[in-house]
């Protein structure tokens, strides 16, 4: 039996990002395909030979400064939940990662 993480959507993981957050090429393609220029405006996209490789997250779209808090969190609600990057979709990686971030969600048998 496998375990699945049940997120409480408290927003704690979005409030103190710490470290580099990377968008996959698939994330960037999803945003492009869905006309989410607003999300792309907060991401530095890296290409090689005309092919999208990855994106560096989250930056102020006006100043280019790296943000310490997710720009898509408002009142502990993710404004891009259906379009959030993979790094957010797989959070937390395991129980140790959850505990180290004081995450109140729980692992349930799936």
């Amino acid at each position: 039996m496998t375990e699945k993480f049940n997120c409480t959507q408290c927003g704690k993981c979005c409030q103190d990002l710490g470290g580099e957050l990377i968008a996959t090429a698939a994330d960037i393609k999803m945003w492009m395909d869905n006309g989410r220029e607003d999300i792309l405006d907060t991401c530095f996209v890296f290409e090689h030979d005309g092919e999208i490789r990855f994106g560096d997250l989250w930056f102020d779209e006006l100043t280019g400064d790296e943000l310490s808090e997710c720009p898509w969190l408002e009142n502990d609600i993710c404004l891009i939940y259906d379009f959030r990057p993979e790094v957010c979709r797989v959070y937390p990686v395991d129980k140790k990662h959850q505990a180290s971030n004081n995450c109140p969600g729980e692992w349930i048998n799936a």
Side-chain angles (χ1 to χ4, degrees):
M1 188 172 280
T2 61
E3 288 185 305
K4 178 183 174 195
F5 186 72
N6 185 29
C7 176
T8 64
Q9 296 186 15
C10 70
K12 282 186 177 183
C13 56
C14 308
Q15 293 168 356
D16 184 17
L17 300 177
E20 282 188 23
L21 294 178
I22 302 297
T24 66
D27 293 329
I28 294 165
K29 182 177 179 343
M30 171 182 58
W31 298 331
M32 292 173 129
D33 290 349
N34 287 280
R36 295 304 308 255
E37 293 296 323
D38 55 339
I39 300 172
L40 290 165
D41 287 344
T42 61
C43 174
F44 284 125
V45 177
F46 292 88
E47 297 182 24
H48 181 70
D49 292 334
E51 186 177 323
I52 294 171
R53 299 295 183 168
F54 66 93
D56 200 2
L57 303 172
W58 300 112
F59 292 84
D60 183 292
E61 62 185 288
L62 299 176
T63 67
D65 294 336
E66 189 170 13
L67 301 172
S68 60
E69 187 172 294
C70 178
W72 304 106
L73 184 68
E74 187 174 290
N75 297 322
D76 296 334
I77 302 292
C78 177
L79 300 177
I80 62 167
Y81 191 82
D82 291 336
F83 295 100
R84 70 196 187 281
E86 181 179 328
V87 68
C88 300
R89 292 190 306 270
V90 300
Y91 180 91
V93 176
D94 55 29
K95 290 179 182 180
K96 183 178 178 182
H97 185 223
Q98 174 194 5
S100 71
N101 288 292
N102 261 347
C103 174
E106 64 181 344
W107 293 89
I108 56 174
N109 292 325

